[in-house]
Amino acid sequence: MTLVSRRVRPDQWKPIDVEALEENAMDVVRSTDNRCVIAGPGSGKTELLAQRAAYLLQCGIARPPRRILAISYKRDAATNLAVRVRSRCHPDHAYRFDSLTFDAFAKSLVDRFGQALPERWRPRPDYQVVVDATDRTFDNFLRFLTPPPEIGSRADIIAVHTKDFQRRWLFGTPLPEGAPRISNAAEWAADRFWQSWLHEGKSTSLTFPMISRLAGLLVTSNPMVGHALRLTYSHLFMDEFQDTTQAQYDLVKAIFFGSDTVVTAVGDNKQQIMRWALAMDDPFMPFEAEFKAQRTPLIHNYRSSPDLVRIQDVLAKALDARSSTPVSKTKGTVSGDSCAVWDFTTPGTEAARLADFVSKQMAEHKLDPRDFCILVRQKAGDYMKVLEPAFAKLKLPLRNEVELVGNVTLQELLVEDLSEYLVVLLRLFTSVRAGRHWTTCLDLMCTLLGLALDDYAGRAKVVKRLNTFESDFRNTYPAPLSDPADAKEVVQLLIAFIGRANILAASPAYRQGDWFDKVSEAAALHLEASCKSAKNWSEALDEYEGAYSVPLMTVHKSKGLEYHTVIFVGLDDQAWWSFSNDKIEATAGFFVAFTRAKQRVVFSYCAQRGDRSKIAALYQLLTEAGVKTIKIA
């Protein structure tokens, strides 16, 4: 399809690359008011936003030079949305679409304008981003605090729960311009935390929630910053809105509330599984009230078969009785039960049967290993030890996608910009026939260098550089690497070829702290491991990307992904030990796991791992939906 740069009349515009959108989706695409879109699993949330961006840009409703800002919770979601917009819009339009994560957006503000913050809250320019702060981080901080007698006692500090400390006292409200009013020990402890992390020690350390709060203060204390952002962006998209934290919501409100920027928030309150990570209990309610946003549901499900959608509806109504009944827009392709609970007596029997099932289903339906996914609640490594030998016996590699490579999980590494750049270059430099790798690589390099499509001289220079580097690389590394030092050297060579400055310019998350170094280190380690048993570079890069491995991951890491068949291992009290602490979030996690599947879901229970009395409510939901339990000897 040829993408045109001319303007299209709104009444003549049609959805691009899809046959049609459901009526409510088209209504949102053409809307001129703030919208709160409740979009269930498989409803095409990303596609909706991509089509809305195309409509606004191509019809001139988002008038130049103003831009569209899309903010997503996860990095891969932000990247996916940007790719879809570029594939549906001419570059003259697509360049005015900015797709960032909430964290990257907040960080970009602090990086650009942070030195304008009040001195009390001003981070040092070379601040470090702490991406691995856990409850223990805050526990350890509180453990050694003793407040002034006029504020409280040591016992008052001990009484502060870690999660409450973060959610309520540290990040629960906007920062004041001056010193906060302190009336209790928790407020004093929160201020001590801020001041120690900002100003004490060799450098400033900030978590992303802290960065969001500093960005919010930046906007409120410097009105011109907010004014500039409102002038820049005519439209704002917020994806995965159910995972929005209070700090993130307050930042958006500080910038865009009361402005002419039209806001479209898309999410699903039934998939809220990030309250442990400080997500608001219900961000939809304040957004609808304060931004006068109209709630619009999407009911079509383009992912799952009719039978799976029917079961999903039972689970959805347990989370929200008002939820709309979804309509499947795809066909069932498997015979037998599309969902069942398999009841095993031993982990060994379970592992052997699941491996055999995947192998036979691949053959019967002509599927790839990555059409399947093994999901677990937690402790993926423990399940990996039991399952991996059985899968290996059938020559089916099983890969723990949440395993740490250096300081980065494998799943995180594979969606990192730097990792993707390295793979694109290596595919070109090591392929016998360049083919599509050449076009992909050329486009990538021209984009990173900021070259226009009609900059023929600039593009010719890139072509020459690629040809020269490719020849040198093939001569130096004709076969997969065997030395750890070589893997590090190759990664650094490729970074130098792209230009570190170009990578940092394209990826804001790399500009501060040591995240860039952690990702490059992880890439080298994973590249070395991927080369060990590979006969050639193609096999090594396939291993790097896990092209022929069955992925194993946790429920939280599966969000936003989809597979032909999902196998959930460990539906028992031991895996779901915290179920009674927050039944709503646990049930939402159960719902998320179920809705990753297109055609089949298998729940696997093994009596030797634990009872299932504490999670009886989940089994009751499956029973109500007509899901059978099958005992397997």
Side-chain angles (χ1 to χ4, degrees):
M1 183 186 69
T2 302
L3 300 174
V4 296
S5 59
R6 61 179 175 80
R7 186 172 296 182
V8 179
R9 282 174 45 187
D11 60 337
Q12 294 180 336
W13 183 89
K14 294 181 179 180
I16 302 166
D17 285 351
V18 295
E19 291 183 5
L21 297 175
E22 66 173 278
E23 185 178 345
N24 279 0
M26 278 299 294
D27 182 42
V28 172
V29 164
R30 298 177 181 276
S31 61
T32 58
D33 56 349
N34 296 335
R35 291 296 179 100
C36 180
V37 184
I38 306 298
S43 59
K45 295 184 284 291
T46 305
E47 187 60 44
L48 166 70
L49 293 177
Q51 296 293 342
R52 177 155 170 74
Y55 171 77
L56 295 171
L57 293 168
Q58 292 169 346
C59 297
I61 296 169
R63 293 181 177 277
R66 298 184 79 183
R67 308 173 69 85
I68 298 173
L69 172 64
I71 310 178
S72 301
Y73 185 80
K74 294 170 66 176
R75 188 180 294 111
D76 53 343
T79 300
N80 184 19
L81 180 54
V83 168
R84 292 202 195 195
V85 172
R86 286 199 297 269
S87 71
R88 286 153 179 74
C89 294
H90 190 278
D92 288 350
H93 293 139
Y95 88 93
R96 291 194 292 118
F97 183 80
D98 298 328
S99 185
L100 304 168
T101 63
F102 256 116
D103 289 340
F105 175 63
K107 188 175 184 301
S108 69
L109 296 180
V110 173
D111 290 350
R112 283 186 289 168
F113 309 115
Q115 296 311 295
L117 281 162
E119 183 177 355
R120 193 175 203 282
W121 304 104
R122 188 183 306 153
R124 298 169 191 173
D126 59 345
Y127 69 86
Q128 301 294 310
V129 178
V130 180
V131 297
D132 54 357
T134 64
D135 287 351
R136 183 173 295 179
T137 304
F138 302 98
D139 269 333
N140 290 339
F141 177 81
L142 291 170
R143 183 183 303 168
F144 302 104
L145 285 186
T146 300
E150 65 272 18
I151 295 297
S153 65
R154 176 85 186 103
D156 294 326
I157 296 293
I158 294 173
V160 178
H161 188 273
T162 304
K163 280 297 184 190
D164 196 42
F165 179 61
Q166 298 172 66
R167 182 179 288 274
R168 182 178 179 185
W169 306 109
L170 267 180
F171 312 123
T173 56
L175 297 173
E177 288 192 36
R181 294 181 180 179
I182 295 174
S183 59
N184 58 53
E187 290 177 342
W188 176 83
D191 186 57
R192 282 298 309 130
F193 184 92
W194 273 101
Q195 295 308 308
S196 64
W197 278 48
L198 279 168
H199 303 303
E200 298 170 13
K202 294 181 179 179
S203 64
T204 294
S205 295
L206 299 175
T207 65
F208 278 115
M210 295 174 77
I211 291 172
S212 288
R213 279 300 179 201
L214 290 175
L217 176 59
L218 181 65
V219 172
T220 56
S221 62
N222 296 273
M224 290 303 295
V225 174
H227 182 65
L229 289 168
R230 289 188 288 272
L231 287 177
T232 300
Y233 296 110
S234 62
H235 293 79
L236 167 68
F237 300 167
M238 289 189 286
D239 194 11
E240 299 291 351
F241 187 62
Q242 75 278 354
D243 295 328
T244 303
T245 68
Q246 188 67 57
Q248 291 167 343
Y249 179 78
D250 287 345
L251 172 58
V252 167
K253 184 178 174 182
I255 299 170
F256 297 108
F257 180 71
S259 72
D260 68 346
T261 301
V262 179
V263 185
T264 306
V266 181
D268 185 6
N269 53 352
K270 302 177 294 300
Q271 296 188 64
Q272 190 183 54
I273 60 173
M274 302 302 292
R275 279 204 289 258
W276 62 274
L278 306 182
M280 297 169 67
D281 289 337
D282 182 8
F284 299 95
M285 188 176 296
F287 175 67
E288 289 173 9
E290 295 172 346
F291 283 80
K292 303 294 188 293
Q294 178 182 336
R295 177 174 289 217
T296 308
L298 299 185
I299 62 172
H300 287 180
N301 185 315
Y302 298 97
R303 176 188 302 153
S304 303
S305 68
D307 199 36
L308 289 183
V309 167
R310 177 188 60 78
I311 300 170
Q312 289 174 19
D313 189 38
V314 175
L315 303 179
K317 285 184 166 52
L319 290 161
D320 181 3
R322 302 173 302 164
S323 65
S324 302
T325 299
V327 177
S328 173
K329 304 301 287 185
T330 189
K331 295 179 180 179
T333 61
V334 298
S335 57
D337 296 322
S338 60
C339 181
V341 177
W342 289 0
D343 198 336
F344 296 95
T345 54
T346 69
T349 303
E350 177 186 51
R353 177 59 185 271
L354 293 179
D356 183 65
F357 169 74
V358 172
S359 179
K360 289 179 177 177
Q361 287 291 300
M362 284 175 57
E364 180 181 345
H365 296 284
K366 295 180 174 57
L367 300 171
D368 294 324
R370 294 198 78 82
D371 288 321
F372 297 80
C373 183
I374 309 293
L375 288 185
V376 297
R377 179 83 161 109
Q378 56 183 2
K379 297 183 178 179
D382 292 348
Y383 290 93
M384 182 73 178
K385 292 175 184 176
V386 177
L387 295 170
E388 196 273 336
F391 278 76
K393 190 174 181 180
L394 297 180
K395 294 182 170 50
L396 272 176
L398 185 66
R399 186 155 89 161
N400 180 1
E401 303 265 307
V402 294
E403 182 180 19
L404 280 175
V405 183
N407 294 293
V408 184
T409 69
L410 185 55
Q411 189 177 11
E412 288 174 328
L413 173 64
L414 294 181
V415 298
E416 278 293 328
D417 291 344
L418 175 58
S419 178
E420 293 180 354
Y421 301 159
L422 298 178
V423 171
V424 167
L425 290 172
L426 286 171
R427 288 284 186 191
L428 173 64
F429 297 152
T430 63
S431 296
V432 177
R433 291 185 178 87
R436 61 184 174 85
H437 301 308
W438 173 259
T439 303
T440 302
C441 203
L442 178 60
D443 288 345
L444 169 67
M445 288 300 299
C446 290
T447 299
L448 289 173
L449 293 170
L451 299 180
L453 287 174
D454 59 355
D455 186 350
Y456 303 113
R459 295 175 77 86
K461 290 180 181 178
V462 174
V463 169
K464 185 176 180 180
R465 282 191 66 211
L466 284 170
N467 284 331
T468 302
F469 193 92
E470 178 184 356
S471 177
D472 292 342
F473 189 91
R474 287 180 188 274
N475 292 332
T476 309
Y477 304 102
L481 311 172
S482 57
D483 188 331
D486 285 343
K488 291 182 181 179
E489 183 176 335
V490 163
V491 168
Q492 293 307 315
L493 275 173
L494 296 175
I495 290 173
F497 176 76
I498 301 170
R500 182 177 176 127
N502 297 324
I503 298 173
L504 298 187
S507 304
Y510 297 150
R511 295 176 195 164
Q512 296 288 140
D514 59 355
W515 184 240
F516 181 90
D517 295 330
K518 287 180 178 179
V519 173
S520 61
E521 177 192 13
L525 290 171
H526 188 46
L527 181 61
E528 176 203 348
S530 301
C531 287
K532 282 183 178 177
S533 59
K535 298 175 183 177
N536 52 54
W537 271 107
S538 180
E539 284 188 10
L541 294 175
D542 285 344
E543 177 65 24
Y544 186 98
E545 295 186 295
Y548 301 107
S549 300
V550 177
L552 181 150
M553 66 184 69
T554 60
V555 172
H556 281 89
K557 293 298 183 180
S558 73
K559 200 159 181 288
L561 305 176
E562 58 182 40
Y563 302 91
H564 177 277
T565 296
V566 167
I567 301 172
F568 195 114
V569 180
L571 193 57
D572 55 59
D573 294 345
Q574 181 175 321
W576 295 73
W577 58 271
S578 61
F579 181 77
S580 59
N581 296 340
D582 192 340
K583 291 184 179 179
I584 295 176
E585 181 163 347
T587 304
F590 186 74
F591 181 73
V592 166
F594 192 99
T595 57
R596 300 308 93 204
K598 299 177 184 178
Q599 294 293 330
R600 199 191 307 264
V601 178
V602 173
F603 291 103
S604 179
Y605 170 78
C606 180
Q608 284 191 10
R609 273 200 304 266
D611 199 3
R612 47 188 170 191
S613 57
K614 294 180 181 178
I615 59 168
L618 297 181
Y619 278 94
Q620 181 60 36
L621 284 174
L622 293 176
T623 300
E624 291 175 8
V627 177
K628 301 175 184 176
T629 296
I630 303 171
K631 290 188 177 295
I632 299 179

